[in-house]
Amino acid sequence: MRILVTAAARYGSSSEIAERLGAALRVQLSGTRATVDVRRLDEVHGLDGYDAVILGSAVYMGRWTRSARTFVAANADTLDTVPTWLFSCGSGDDIPTPASRCADGERIRDMIGARDHRVFTGRLDAPRAYRRERLLAAMSHGRRVEDGTVARVDTWAVSIAWQLSRLETSGDAAVAR
């Protein structure tokens, strides 16, 4: 089983979460035939050969990045047929609470039948941000990916690995849904 973990990032938090998720999945799936590829979304040119996908996006002003939305639109048919998980990552007021208010992530989850959508708190690198984003960073104290987020990512990886192990053991794609 070949698993893709990818994220559209602007300042790095989504990529950090994708890397952490990929590493945790490798540990959880060690001893199986599963391989986990972690790649930036702009490096992914199709989903051929992948048996599962974990897709994330940075969230700005409550929206997924344009590149993530475009990727989903271009690959919706494939994402609808393989086990898919989604995550959203933002800082401060970009992350709505509860998670169900993250409109793009929830809409995409419903559109492609993804198994789950999680929302994580990331960071905004204020020196590289646009003026409006710097103001948001100041209000949220420019948080980095927090310890609580790391623990939540690790816990989610355990859940995903368990579901993937069931899928691989049964050999039945219906388990993925």
Side-chain angles (χ1 to χ4, degrees):
M1 173 176 291
R2 195 165 164 221
I3 303 151
L4 173 66
V5 181
T6 187
R10 199 153 164 199
Y11 299 111
S13 292
S14 298
S15 293
E16 289 175 24
I17 289 170
E19 289 288 340
R20 178 70 186 206
L21 188 55
L25 283 170
R26 286 183 191 108
V27 169
Q28 292 297 316
L29 295 170
S30 65
T32 71
R33 294 177 295 163
T35 60
V36 180
D37 296 338
V38 179
R39 298 173 56 194
R40 291 186 353 215
L41 187 63
D42 61 359
E43 296 173 343
V44 178
H45 302 292
L47 298 173
D48 290 342
Y50 288 106
D51 302 300
V53 176
I54 300 150
L55 170 64
S57 177
V59 176
Y60 293 95
M61 306 307 288
R63 302 283 319 264
W64 270 29
T65 65
R66 177 173 289 147
S67 62
R69 294 190 316 262
T70 300
F71 180 84
V72 169
N75 293 283
D77 289 342
T78 302
L79 292 169
D80 189 39
T81 62
V82 299
T84 303
W85 291 262
L86 305 173
F87 70 89
S88 298
C89 176
S91 64
D93 292 334
D94 283 328
I95 291 298
T97 302
S100 62
R101 291 179 49 215
C102 188
D104 280 345
E106 295 301 307
R107 181 184 55 77
I108 292 166
R109 183 197 67 195
D110 293 343
M111 180 179 80
I112 64 171
R115 294 190 62 89
D116 195 7
H117 169 238
R118 297 287 174 106
V119 178
F120 299 109
T121 302
R123 66 169 166 80
L124 183 62
D125 187 1
R128 294 175 42 202
Y130 296 113
R131 184 171 189 257
R132 178 172 40 177
E133 293 166 333
R134 284 196 307 267
L135 291 172
L136 288 172
M139 290 188 301
S140 67
H141 308 291
R143 289 180 261 185
R144 295 195 58 81
V145 174
E146 300 169 344
D147 289 341
T149 296
V150 170
R152 290 181 57 225
V153 169
D154 290 348
T155 300
W156 194 41
V158 171
S159 171
I160 292 171
W162 180 81
Q163 293 173 62
L164 289 169
S165 295
R166 284 190 59 211
L167 174 62
E168 189 171 44
T169 301
S170 73
D172 181 6
V175 174
R177 294 279 174 209

Short mmCIF file of all heavy atoms in Angstrom, two decimals, residues 7 15 21 52 63 68 73 80 90 96 102 116-118 122 128 131 139 174:
data_model
loop_
_atom_site.label_atom_id
_atom_site.label_comp_id
_atom_site.label_asym_id
_atom_site.label_seq_id
_atom_site.Cartn_x
_atom_site.Cartn_y
_atom_site.Cartn_z
N ALA A 7 0.47 18.62 1.44
CA ALA A 7 -0.20 19.82 1.95
C ALA A 7 0.20 21.04 1.14
O ALA A 7 1.32 21.14 0.67
CB ALA A 7 0.14 20.04 3.43
N SER A 15 3.07 22.23 6.04
CA SER A 15 4.14 21.30 5.66
C SER A 15 4.71 20.60 6.90
O SER A 15 4.99 19.41 6.86
CB SER A 15 5.26 22.03 4.93
OG SER A 15 4.80 22.50 3.69
N LEU A 21 2.94 14.05 10.41
CA LEU A 21 1.96 13.01 10.15
C LEU A 21 2.60 11.85 9.39
O LEU A 21 2.39 10.67 9.73
CB LEU A 21 0.78 13.59 9.37
CG LEU A 21 -0.43 12.71 9.16
CD1 LEU A 21 -0.98 12.17 10.46
CD2 LEU A 21 -1.49 13.50 8.42
N ALA A 52 -3.94 5.57 -0.87
CA ALA A 52 -4.58 6.42 0.14
C ALA A 52 -3.93 7.80 0.08
O ALA A 52 -2.76 7.92 -0.29
CB ALA A 52 -4.43 5.83 1.53
N ARG A 63 -10.32 30.25 4.41
CA ARG A 63 -10.37 29.49 3.15
C ARG A 63 -9.11 28.66 2.95
O ARG A 63 -8.03 29.07 3.36
CB ARG A 63 -10.47 30.45 1.94
CG ARG A 63 -11.64 31.39 1.89
CD ARG A 63 -12.95 30.78 1.48
NE ARG A 63 -12.92 29.82 0.42
CZ ARG A 63 -13.17 30.07 -0.87
NH1 ARG A 63 -13.43 31.28 -1.27
NH2 ARG A 63 -13.16 29.09 -1.75
N ALA A 68 -4.67 24.26 -3.24
CA ALA A 68 -5.33 23.07 -2.68
C ALA A 68 -6.71 22.88 -3.29
O ALA A 68 -7.09 21.76 -3.66
CB ALA A 68 -5.43 23.17 -1.16
N ALA A 73 -10.18 19.89 -7.16
CA ALA A 73 -11.05 19.91 -8.34
C ALA A 73 -10.48 19.05 -9.46
O ALA A 73 -11.22 18.31 -10.12
CB ALA A 73 -11.25 21.35 -8.81
N ASP A 80 -12.21 10.52 -4.70
CA ASP A 80 -13.49 9.90 -4.34
C ASP A 80 -13.40 8.37 -4.29
O ASP A 80 -14.25 7.72 -3.70
CB ASP A 80 -14.57 10.34 -5.33
CG ASP A 80 -15.96 9.91 -4.91
OD1 ASP A 80 -16.26 9.96 -3.70
OD2 ASP A 80 -16.75 9.52 -5.78
N GLY A 90 -4.20 26.62 10.36
CA GLY A 90 -4.10 28.07 10.36
C GLY A 90 -3.71 28.57 11.73
O GLY A 90 -3.51 27.78 12.66
N PRO A 96 -11.48 28.38 12.54
CA PRO A 96 -12.77 28.50 13.21
C PRO A 96 -12.94 27.37 14.22
O PRO A 96 -12.39 26.30 14.08
CB PRO A 96 -13.78 28.35 12.08
CG PRO A 96 -13.03 28.06 10.86
CD PRO A 96 -11.58 27.97 11.18
N CYS A 102 -15.15 25.24 9.40
CA CYS A 102 -14.11 25.43 8.40
C CYS A 102 -14.71 25.03 7.05
O CYS A 102 -14.63 23.89 6.63
CB CYS A 102 -12.87 24.60 8.73
SG CYS A 102 -11.48 24.98 7.65
N ASP A 116 -12.34 11.80 7.01
CA ASP A 116 -12.26 12.69 8.16
C ASP A 116 -11.67 14.03 7.72
O ASP A 116 -10.97 14.11 6.71
CB ASP A 116 -11.36 12.06 9.24
CG ASP A 116 -11.48 12.71 10.60
OD1 ASP A 116 -12.35 13.58 10.81
OD2 ASP A 116 -10.69 12.34 11.50
N HIS A 117 -11.96 15.06 8.49
CA HIS A 117 -11.35 16.37 8.30
C HIS A 117 -10.98 16.89 9.68
O HIS A 117 -11.84 17.00 10.55
CB HIS A 117 -12.32 17.34 7.62
CG HIS A 117 -11.84 18.75 7.64
ND1 HIS A 117 -12.56 19.78 8.22
CD2 HIS A 117 -10.69 19.31 7.17
CE1 HIS A 117 -11.88 20.91 8.09
NE2 HIS A 117 -10.76 20.65 7.47
N ARG A 118 -9.69 17.18 9.90
CA ARG A 118 -9.23 17.70 11.18
C ARG A 118 -8.70 19.12 10.99
O ARG A 118 -8.19 19.46 9.92
CB ARG A 118 -8.10 16.83 11.74
CG ARG A 118 -8.50 15.42 12.05
CD ARG A 118 -9.39 15.34 13.29
NE ARG A 118 -9.89 14.00 13.49
CZ ARG A 118 -9.45 13.16 14.43
NH1 ARG A 118 -8.48 13.53 15.24
NH2 ARG A 118 -10.00 11.98 14.54
N GLY A 122 -1.62 26.18 13.57
CA GLY A 122 -0.25 26.30 13.08
C GLY A 122 0.37 27.60 13.52
O GLY A 122 0.17 28.06 14.63
N ARG A 128 7.41 37.33 6.94
CA ARG A 128 7.17 37.00 5.54
C ARG A 128 5.73 37.23 5.12
O ARG A 128 5.38 37.07 3.96
CB ARG A 128 7.54 35.53 5.29
CG ARG A 128 9.03 35.29 5.44
CD ARG A 128 9.39 33.84 5.31
NE ARG A 128 8.69 33.16 4.25
CZ ARG A 128 8.52 31.84 4.20
NH1 ARG A 128 9.00 31.08 5.14
NH2 ARG A 128 7.88 31.29 3.19
N ARG A 131 0.67 42.41 5.05
CA ARG A 131 0.32 43.32 6.14
C ARG A 131 -0.89 42.82 6.94
O ARG A 131 -0.86 42.75 8.17
CB ARG A 131 0.04 44.71 5.58
CG ARG A 131 -0.24 45.71 6.65
CD ARG A 131 -0.29 47.13 6.04
NE ARG A 131 -0.35 48.09 7.10
CZ ARG A 131 -1.47 48.71 7.44
NH1 ARG A 131 -2.59 48.44 6.80
NH2 ARG A 131 -1.46 49.59 8.42
N MET A 139 -2.25 39.52 16.73
CA MET A 139 -3.38 39.23 17.61
C MET A 139 -3.29 37.81 18.19
O MET A 139 -3.77 37.55 19.27
CB MET A 139 -4.69 39.40 16.86
CG MET A 139 -4.98 40.86 16.55
SD MET A 139 -6.62 41.15 15.86
CE MET A 139 -6.60 40.15 14.39
N ALA A 174 -13.75 -1.33 0.11
CA ALA A 174 -14.97 -0.88 0.79
C ALA A 174 -14.70 -0.56 2.26
O ALA A 174 -15.39 0.24 2.86
CB ALA A 174 -16.05 -1.94 0.68
#
